[in-house]
Amino acid sequence: MAAPEMRDPIESGCPDGFQYMHPVMRRNFGLWAYHEDPRPGVLVHVSKTGEKVWTVRAGTQRILDVFTLRKLMDIGDTYGEGYVHFTIRSNIEFQMADGAKVEPLVKALEDAGFPVGGTRNSVTSLSHTQGWLHCDIPGTDASGVVKAMMDELLPEFKSWNMPNRVHITTSCCQINCGGQGDIAINVQHVKPPKINHALVGNVCERPTVVARCPVAAIRPAMVDGKPSLEVDEKKCICCGACYPPCPPMQINDHQYTQLAVWIGGNHSNARGKPTFQRLVAAGIPNNPPRWPEATAIVKKILECYKAGAKDWERINEWVERIGWPRFFEVTGLPFTKYHIDNWRGARANLNSSTHIRF
Amino acid sequence: MATNNYPTPMLDVLEEGPWPSFISGFKKLRDEHPDERIRNTINGLMGQLEHSYETKMGYWKGGTISVFGYGGGIIPRFSEVGHMFPESKEFHTLRVQPPAGNYYTTDMLRQLADSWEKWGSGLQTFHGQTGNIMFIGANSVNFQHFFDEINEYGWDLGGAGPCVRTGMSCVGAARCEMSNCNEHAIHRRLMNNFTDDVHRPALPYKFKFKVSGCPNDCQNAIERADFAVIGTWRDDMKVNQEAVKEMIMKKAKEIGKEGDRSAGRQYMFDNVISRCPTQAIKLNDDDTITVDNSNCVRCMHCLNVMPKALQVGDDKGVTVLIGGKRTLKIGDLMGIVTIPFMKLDTEEDYERIVELAASIIDFWAENGLEHERCGEMIERIGLVNFLEGIGIDPDPNMIKQPRNVSYVRTDGWDEAAEAWFNRKREEKMAAAA
C-alpha cells in the first residue's frame, strides 16, 4: 500500500501582531504620552498626537469553551470595536477609540458574568497551570483552585484597595510553571516516590533519571532480579523531578501531597530589584473541590498586607520593611525549621547582623 | 440533558460563586454542542476530572506525537483510565504561537474556533505559561488535520520539549507610554530566526525569549527567560514640571485636603522622593523636581507614580539578561546582565541581537549538559567562561559587587587591565566621532 500523501508544514513562526492591532494603536505606535485610570478595569492611553485608546479588562475562566469564546467575541463586536488583547494572566482586554463605548461594554461584560477589574492596585486574576485537567505530573488541580480562590477574592479584583498590585500564581507541582508571584500556592510533596520496580527497567532511561535528581539521591539497583532504581529516602527532597522521565517513580499521593504558600516574588525592577518568592506556609491540605484552607491563608496574608503596607509597597517590600519576625507575628503563621534555607547559597538568606526588631 | 453523562458532584460545586466557571463552560459543550463527538469527548473529560477530584490523583501520561515534518509543538496526553472514560482517552494539546504582543481581531478568534470545533474538543486557552495559545484536546488522528487547516491561514506551532520555546512580549509600544523599544519586532526577529530550533527539539533543554519594553518587566522576563530583553534608555528622563505641580495639588485633593499644597508635597516625599532607590530625585521649594540622572537606575517607580509628569528619555535601547529560570534542577536563577545597553534602531542592530542569541544558543548547545538550562551551565562553568565563549567583554554592570574570596589566580592581570583601558579609549573615540 502506498504511503498517504503528507502535507509539508509552512514554517511561518510567530505571526505579526501589528496587523491585528486597533488602528489607533497602529497609528500611535511608540507615541503614547501617558495613561489614566478612570475606574478599576478601565484604562485610557493618550498619545502625543492627542488620540486616545480605551481599554476594558475583564477576568475569564482561562480555559474557554468555544461558546464562551464566541460570547466574548460577540460582546467585542457589539459593544467594542472588534479588537482584543490578552494579558499574561488570561484577562481579556477590549480596545476602543470611542470612550462612549466604555460604560455599555463594562455593563455587557458584567451582565454576561465576566468581572471587570484587575488593573492597578487590585488583586488581578491568578496565573495558573494545567493541573488534573491536562498535566502528566500534577499533584493538584489548577483551574479549580483558581476558580475557588477568585470567587473569594472577587471584591479585590474589582477594586483598588491594595497598597500596590498583587499577582497570585498557582502551580500543581514543584517545577512551578506558574512562576513567581506576590503570593504563590504550590504543591509540596512530603513523601519520596513510590517505585514500581517491575516497570522501571522497561520504561525509564535510568542514567537520565539518576542525573535528573538535584540531590543525587537516586542510584541504579537490581530489585527482584530486574534492573531498577532506588532512592536514598534520607537525602530525597520529594521534588518529583524523577517522575516526568520515569512515571513508575510515582511522587503524587492522594494522602501526602500538600500545598504550600510562598510570598514576595516580584518581577518588577521598580524601587527594589526583582525578587524570588519565599516559603511562608506548608502542610496545607490538598482539598478539592474548593481548597478552603489554602484560600484562608491567602486571604489572611492579603488582609495583613492591606492593613500594614504603605502605598506602592509590594508584598516583598512590606515584609522587608517590617521584618520577617513581624510578618509571622501579624499573620499568625508558625515559623518552623522548614523556613530556614539549606540549599546551595543558603548563607545569603541567614542574618549575620544585629539588625533585629524588638 | 443526556442520561449517559458521568456524574460530577464535586465539579458541580465549582459552578457556584461569582467568578466565571470553567465547569459551566464544559457542561455547555457536553450538553448543548451540535457535534456528538464534542459532546462525548467533554463528557469523558469531565468524568476523568471528577475521578481526579475524588481520588486526588492525575491520570494523564505523555507520549510522542508530532505533526508531519516537525518534532515538537504538541503535548501528547493518553489517559491512564481510558477504560473508564474511553471518550477522551486521547486528549492532546496543540501549542500555537500567538501574534507578537497577543493582539487579535474578533474575526481571527472566530476562525480559529470554527476550525477547532471541526477537529478538536472545543476547549482552548489564551495563553499557557510559556505564552502559547493552547488548543486542548485532539485525538491522535485529528490534530494533524487541525494543524493543516490553521497552518494554511497563517498559524504555526510553538515549541515543546528541549527546543527554542514560544516567545512572549508585552503590550509594548502599541499601548504603553513606558515602552523603550519595538517589543514585537524584537520578539518576531528572535523567534523567527530560530524556527528550525522551535520545531525540531535538539537542544540540551528549553530556551525561552521574553521581551518587556521597560524595567517594570510585565512579561517576567528576568525571572523566567533564558534570554530576557528589557527596554531602557540612556539619556535623561523627561520631566514636565507643570505636570509635577499639578500632581501635587491633585494628590492633595485625592487625600481630602484640597488646596493644601503641603499635603500634596508630603505625598510626594512619602511616595516618590523617599522611594527612589538611589535618592536621585529632589523636590524643590517651588514644587518642581530635580533629577540626578547619572544616578538614576531606571527602576521605573517615579514614572509609575507620575505617568503624566515623567517620561522615559529619547536615547532608547535594551538591556539583555541571560539565564533566568525556575527551580529545576539547581534552584531558581535570574538572568544575568550580559549586554548592559544596546541600541535597536537599525537593521544592523537587529542583526546584532539575533547574532548574539545565535552565539549563545550555539555555545550552550555545545557545552550544556543534557537537561541543563543555559543559566545552570553559566552557574557551572562561571560567567567569565561563558562570556569568553560568546565573545563578550566583561563589564562592571554584570555584577552586584566584585569577588570577595581571595582564592583567585590573577596572573593575566596586566593584559586584562590593558584590554580594559583599550576598550575605554575606543569607546571615547567612538563617542567623539
Side-chain angles (χ1 to χ4, degrees), chain A residues 3-24:
Chain A
E5 270 299 299
M6 295 300 277
R7 171 188 165 278
D8 282 320
I10 303 163
E11 302 203 38
S12 47
C14 172
D16 184 359
F18 200 75
Q19 56 190 324
Y20 312 124
M21 286 170 198
H22 195 294
V24 174

Side-chain angles (χ1 to χ4, degrees), chain A residues 246-259:
Chain A
C246 190
M249 299 180 76
Q250 178 58 262
I251 187 71
N252 291 310
D253 186 287
H254 63 95
Q255 206 177 339
Y256 296 116
T257 295
Q258 301 174 340
L259 304 182

Side-chain angles (χ1 to χ4, degrees), chain A residues 7 10-11 13 32-33 35 64 70 77 134 141 147 151 176-177 211 267 269 271 275 290 311 343, chain B residues 16 19 53 77 91 106 110 117 124 151-152 174 177 200 215 217 223-224 301 311 326 329-330:
Chain A
R7 171 188 165 278
I10 303 163
E11 302 203 38
W32 298 103
H35 79 276
L64 303 172
R70 290 196 183 109
D77 288 338
H134 202 265
D141 194 32
K147 159 69 178 153
D151 276 345
N176 184 221
C177 62
H267 50 84
N269 290 267
R271 300 166 302 283
T275 52
R290 283 216 166 248
D311 284 357
W343 195 252
Chain B
E16 297 157 15
W19 190 257
Y53 270 59
R77 287 293 175 256
F91 206 73
T106 49
R110 286 177 198 283
E117 204 168 42
Q124 61 268 293
N151 187 225
E152 282 297 324
E177 68 271 22
R200 295 167 193 87
D217 193 5
E223 291 179 340
R224 298 189 71 177
H301 172 74
Q311 286 182 337
R326 191 60 176 111
K329 154 180 172 180
I330 66 168

